[in-house]
Structure formats: C-alpha cells, structure tokens
Amino acid sequence: MKQLQLCLCLLLGVTLAASAFADEKSETAIAGSYFITQDDKFQRVLTFEPGGAISQVSDQQTLLGFSSGQGSWKLTGPGTVKASVIDFSYDLKTGKRVGPGIINYEVKFTDERSGKYQSISGSFSGSVYPVGDNPLKPSKQPVYSFAIGFKGGRIGAE
C-alpha cells in the first residue's frame, strides 16, 4: 500500500511539474511587444512582460484623452491570455480628470517560430468610472464603455 501511495505521489509531482514547465514555455513564447491595429484602424502597442505585467500605449490617447496603461496578464490556455489594464481619462478641452478606466483583453497568439509567437488577435472591452471610483471594484456606473477587436504582430529587433 505504501508503494502505491508513493507511486501516486510521484505521478502527481511529475504531472504538476510538466504543467509548470508548459506554462513557463508559453509565457516565454508570449513575452514581448506587439503592434496591433484595431478594427477601427487605430493602433496600439501591447507589451507582455514575463511574470505577468502588461503595458499599453495607443495613438488614440491624444485624440480621446487617456493615459498609457499598465496591468497584468495570465495564461488561460495554450496561446491564450486574459489581461486587465488600468489607465486614466481626462477631458481634452478642460484637462480635468474624467476618471480611471479598466480595459479587459481576450488575446490569442499564433504563428510560433523559434519559440516566440509572431501573431496576435483578439478583442478588448472597457469602462471608465468617475473620479475617485475603483475600476477593479466599481461602486458607481461607468461614465462610458467601449469594445473592439484587433490583430497584429510581434515587434522584432532587426
């Protein structure tokens, strides 16, 4: 009986280690910066850091009045990610704060070459909340919401 328990524990350990290795491999294949074009033709750069940090910058920032954003991402399956980014909106005419926003990304990575994904696609949706509200646990109705699809590719050094 003790041998059976030992074998089961060993099997469980090997399975968990293989899963952790697969997650590390996927994170390594994803990590990097991607140039994306939204369905409305605006563009962004998304950067996925190893360990789960994400940042974004957009050519819409000066047109709509919001900051670059930062947040975190996690693997949801092979080559798929969910991410949340926080940024801050402001009124372009007055410069006054509108409030914090949260953007939730659903992302798929494809075209793996040399251990790195080359293509990215997906969608994001978000809401901006009044000044002082917490977009992670909002207590007020959003000032406005949005959603759109995108696709793009890895930015590589040449």
Side-chain angles (χ1 to χ4, degrees):
M1 187 65 160
K2 285 186 180 184
Q3 287 179 331
L4 179 59
Q5 287 175 335
L6 180 60
C7 286
L8 289 175
C9 286
L10 182 59
L11 182 60
L12 178 64
V14 169
T15 302
L16 291 174
S19 175
F21 178 73
D23 286 351
E24 287 178 19
K25 181 181 180 271
S26 292
E27 282 190 14
T28 300
I30 288 168
S33 294
Y34 298 82
F35 181 73
I36 66 170
T37 300
Q38 299 170 190
D39 292 347
D40 62 4
K41 306 302 181 212
F42 285 103
Q43 298 170 316
R44 292 175 187 247
V45 173
L46 297 177
T47 300
F48 296 83
E49 298 287 340
I54 183 175
S55 61
Q56 74 170 16
V57 63
S58 169
D59 66 348
Q60 288 179 290
Q61 289 175 218
T62 57
L63 297 173
L64 300 179
F66 62 92
S67 67
S68 56
Q70 296 183 351
S72 64
W73 65 274
K74 69 177 184 175
L75 288 169
T76 55
T80 60
V81 162
K82 282 188 176 187
S84 294
V85 173
I86 301 291
D87 65 11
F88 301 94
S89 293
Y90 56 93
D91 185 294
L92 287 172
K93 292 179 182 153
T94 65
K96 291 186 179 184
R97 298 181 299 159
V98 173
I102 186 163
I103 304 167
N104 295 303
Y105 286 89
E106 298 276 342
V107 184
K108 176 145 183 74
F109 296 86
T110 56
D111 190 21
E112 187 175 349
R113 283 186 259 148
S114 302
K116 302 282 185 189
Y117 287 113
Q118 302 302 309
S119 298
I120 183 174
S121 62
S123 63
F124 63 86
S125 60
S127 296
V128 174
Y129 294 91
V131 172
D133 205 4
N134 179 349
L136 298 172
K137 295 180 181 175
S139 61
K140 299 175 182 158
Q141 290 296 313
V143 176
Y144 61 88
S145 297
F146 52 90
I148 197 156
F150 64 85
K151 61 184 174 186
R154 176 180 290 276
I155 301 170
E158 297 198 26

